[in-house]
């Protein structure tokens, strides 16, 4: 029978060579197993030995046990280290590797339509003018000939910060600001921008929307000039087969005033569900600028006159793309937005 130190040497060699946890477990069982482990068996006949040898063998067996345990622990740590190093090697993230492609967005349909309108009118010599969305009472109403207490104010009811300050209900105030700034006609401008009205959201209206208004001030302007300009804009946007018409209407800031209609693109003017069997779709208002509005802008109406129009961008996008609910433009539903 081998002595404890020979057993230890043998066990340590086996441990050092063990290639993995399975092999180590086997070695552990072989030497340290409670009943039939080789270190335990060393002590099997200890009862027959003289007391002095008994103590010595017991001590040596304990030392062997401790040495083997320590070697097992050390080898296990070593194997774990190697496993982790291996993992780091094989599963490392290559930060230079290109990632999966990100979905690419595109310009929102309302912005597309606004830019198309701008491009067409810029080609006619109009310039884009911007103004504040928070306006004074005077620019939003008074300057546009909608005096305090005038029943027409109801059509442009908005949201007030104070009796004097409100969210603009149309972009017409920018026309006044532009006249005051430019001073000397000719003036050819368009005023795209967000507007606000005290309306509950429904399929055809929202409390926030966008307009592109236009203003031309020059000498001897006529309704024909206005109609020609708007016809050119509509046909550039929707196609040369579209017809336009004006109907008498009323706005405090234009005289005469008109509603402006475009022939239905679906039925070509015959009448269908989409145009409620009228053959025409309303896009906005227009008219010859009221002399008082020119005066409020600092322009002499005995020298100059002009025309103006105000169209909703959502409305124009609805007409272009046959959309039947304005709310869709402001909802984050990609199934809708990705179509354009
Ligand atoms: N400002 C008007 C509106 O928002 C539109 C309009 C502009 C009508 C210019 C006529 C002339 O309703």
């Amino acid at each position: 029978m081998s002595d404890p130190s020979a057993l230890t040497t043998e066990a340590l060699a086996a441990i050092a060579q063990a290639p993995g946890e399975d092999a180590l477990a086997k070695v552990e069982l072989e030497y340290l197993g409670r009943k039939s482990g080789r270190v335990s068996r060393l002590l099997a006949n200890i009862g027959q030995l003289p007391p002095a040898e008994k103590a010595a063998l017991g001590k040596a067996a304990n030392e062997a046990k401790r040495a083997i345990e320590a070697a097992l622990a050390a080898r296990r740590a070593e194997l774990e280290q190697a496993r982790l190093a291996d993992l780091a090697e094989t599963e490392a993230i290559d930060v230079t590797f290109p990632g999966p492609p990100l979905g690419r967005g595109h310009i929102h349909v309302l912005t597309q339509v606004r830019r198309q309108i701008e491009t067409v009118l810029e080609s006619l010599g109009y310039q884009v003018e911007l103004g504040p969305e928070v306006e004074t009472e005077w620019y939003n109403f008074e300057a546009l000939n909608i005096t305090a207490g005038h029943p027409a104010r109801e059509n442009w009811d908005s949201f007030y910060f104070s009796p004097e300050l409100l969210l603009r209900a149309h972009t017409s105030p920018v026309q006044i600001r532009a006249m005051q700034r430019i001073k000397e006609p000719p003036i050819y401008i368009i005023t795209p921008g967000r507007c606000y009205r005290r309306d509950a959201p429904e399929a055809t209206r929202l409390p926030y929307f966008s307009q592109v208004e236009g203003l031309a001030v020059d000498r001897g302007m006529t309704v024909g000039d206005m109609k020609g300009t708007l016809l050119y804009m509509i046909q550039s946007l929707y196609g040369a087969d579209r017809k336009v018409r004006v109907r008498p209407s009323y706005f405090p800031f234009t005289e005469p005033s008109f509603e402006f209609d475009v022939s239905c693109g679906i039925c070509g003017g015959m009448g269908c569900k989409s145009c409620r069997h009228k053959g025409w779709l309303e896009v906005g208002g227009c008219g010859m600028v009221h002399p008082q509005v020119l005066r409020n802008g600092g322009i002499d109406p005995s020298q100059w006159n002009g025309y103006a129009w105000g169209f909703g961008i959502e409305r124009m996008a609805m007409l272009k793309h046959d959309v039947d609910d304005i709310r869709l433009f402001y909802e984050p539903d990609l199934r809708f937005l990705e179509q354009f």
Side-chain angles (χ1 to χ4, degrees):
M1 191 168 62
S2 44
D3 63 84
S5 76
L7 253 191
T8 306
T9 313
E10 214 181 298
L12 295 194
I15 289 166
Q17 277 160 32
E21 175 53 37
D22 285 356
L24 276 181
K26 252 187 220 147
V27 175
E28 186 169 24
L29 193 69
E30 183 185 346
Y31 289 89
L32 300 182
R34 206 166 279 257
K35 276 188 190 137
S36 48
R38 293 171 69 182
V39 177
S40 314
R41 277 193 280 138
L42 264 186
L43 302 169
N45 302 319
I46 201 167
Q48 278 124 47
L49 294 175
E53 278 178 49
K54 231 191 224 178
L57 184 62
K59 194 178 165 222
N62 261 329
E63 271 163 12
K65 192 180 163 208
R66 249 179 265 129
I68 294 169
E69 276 170 355
L72 280 168
R75 180 69 182 142
R76 282 203 169 102
E78 196 178 289
L79 286 171
E80 178 63 7
Q81 278 294 322
R83 190 184 70 83
L84 290 178
D86 205 46
L87 253 189
E89 183 70 22
T90 56
E91 295 191 7
I93 294 169
D94 179 356
V95 293
T96 66
F97 195 77
L102 284 178
R104 197 159 166 201
H106 64 74
I107 305 274
H108 191 277
V109 57
L110 290 179
T111 309
Q112 290 175 28
V113 171
R114 172 174 58 74
R115 289 187 182 174
Q116 285 161 2
I117 298 169
E118 287 171 4
T119 303
V120 170
L121 286 150
E122 276 168 352
S123 78
L124 292 179
Y126 285 77
Q127 282 184 359
V128 172
E129 284 280 328
L130 302 176
E133 289 181 24
V134 177
E135 262 299 2
T136 64
E137 248 256 308
W138 191 82
Y139 279 104
N140 193 71
F141 290 122
E142 212 72 33
L144 292 158
N145 217 18
I146 319 171
T147 46
H150 195 295
R153 279 214 177 185
E154 224 173 73
N155 296 337
W156 293 275
D157 196 11
S158 182
F159 304 93
Y160 284 77
F161 297 98
S162 70
E164 269 301 307
L165 274 186
L166 69 157
L167 286 171
R168 68 179 179 197
H170 41 186
T171 59
S172 310
V174 188
Q175 305 188 9
I176 304 292
R177 290 178 178 277
M179 287 191 270
Q180 290 179 333
R181 188 176 59 75
I182 300 169
K183 291 191 180 86
E184 268 304 294
I187 295 171
Y188 289 87
I189 57 155
I190 49 172
T191 61
R194 187 62 71 86
C195 308
Y196 304 85
R197 286 190 199 171
R198 205 142 151 173
D199 283 323
E202 25 171 292
T204 54
R205 65 189 77 232
L206 281 174
Y208 45 85
F209 62 101
S210 317
Q211 284 186 329
V212 177
E213 295 206 345
L215 171 72
V217 182
D218 210 326
R219 289 191 205 277
M221 306 285 266
T222 68
V223 172
D225 294 325
M226 177 185 80
K227 231 184 127 179
T229 303
L230 296 179
L231 175 67
Y232 178 79
M233 172 171 87
I234 293 298
Q235 292 190 338
S236 304
L237 290 173
Y238 298 129
D241 55 335
R242 292 298 186 108
K243 295 186 281 289
V244 303
R245 74 173 184 189
V246 292
R247 285 178 289 122
S249 185
Y250 171 75
F251 299 107
F253 34 84
T254 44
E255 183 58 38
S257 304
F258 309 95
E259 299 296 337
F260 185 85
D261 297 341
V262 177
S263 61
C264 176
I266 293 176
C267 62
M270 303 288 290
C272 68
K273 220 179 88 189
S274 173
C275 57
R276 291 213 216 95
H277 304 285
K278 287 183 191 149
W280 297 92
L281 295 153
E282 194 183 315
V283 229
C286 56
M288 303 306 288
V289 183
H290 194 290
Q292 185 57 41
V293 173
L294 290 176
R295 245 176 253 124
N296 292 341
I299 285 168
D300 178 1
S302 70
Q303 299 288 314
W304 309 95
N305 78 336
Y307 55 82
W309 73 89
F311 295 172
I313 296 180
E314 290 82 359
R315 196 111 242 268
M316 299 198 68
M318 287 166 88
L319 283 182
K320 187 171 171 76
H321 298 294
D322 197 26
V323 174
D324 61 4
D325 193 325
I326 192 174
R327 291 167 292 196
L328 290 167
F329 292 124
Y330 291 94
E331 281 165 12
D333 187 343
L334 291 179
R335 290 169 306 177
F336 173 74
L337 295 171
E338 277 173 348
Q339 297 176 83
F340 309 106

